[in-house]
Amino acid sequence: MAREDLTRLTGTVDGPNCDDDDCPNVYRTASGSFVVQGNMSDAFRPPAGEALVEIPEAVLKEAVRVLGW
């Protein structure tokens, strides 16, 4: 799946300048699931095929606002 196939929900309000796509973001897929982009976390070791990322609370709040939840 390419980034162009995702709907970007964050990175436009009250956040850092994210024009170069190198900051935490939340994306929605065509099937309704979510993809998150953030800093790698080593809080624990996830199962094979999974990864942990950290994203700021403000990014999640922005995604919820965009979705109207």
Side-chain angles (χ1 to χ4, degrees):
M1 171 181 319
R3 186 185 310 227
E4 296 78 28
D5 298 329
L6 304 172
T7 301
R8 186 174 173 171
L9 301 176
T10 57
T12 58
V13 176
D14 297 327
N17 182 347
C18 295
D19 293 335
D20 54 4
D21 296 323
D22 67 349
C23 60
N25 278 297
V26 177
Y27 299 87
R28 191 162 196 184
T29 68
S31 67
S33 63
F34 297 92
V35 174
V36 296
Q37 173 186 347
N39 295 326
M40 295 281 292
S41 173
D42 60 2
F44 64 89
R45 187 179 184 130
E50 296 183 5
L52 302 177
V53 298
E54 283 187 50
I55 59 173
E57 180 180 335
V59 173
L60 289 178
K61 285 181 176 179
E62 184 180 353
V64 168
R65 180 193 60 77
V66 168
L67 291 168
W69 293 353

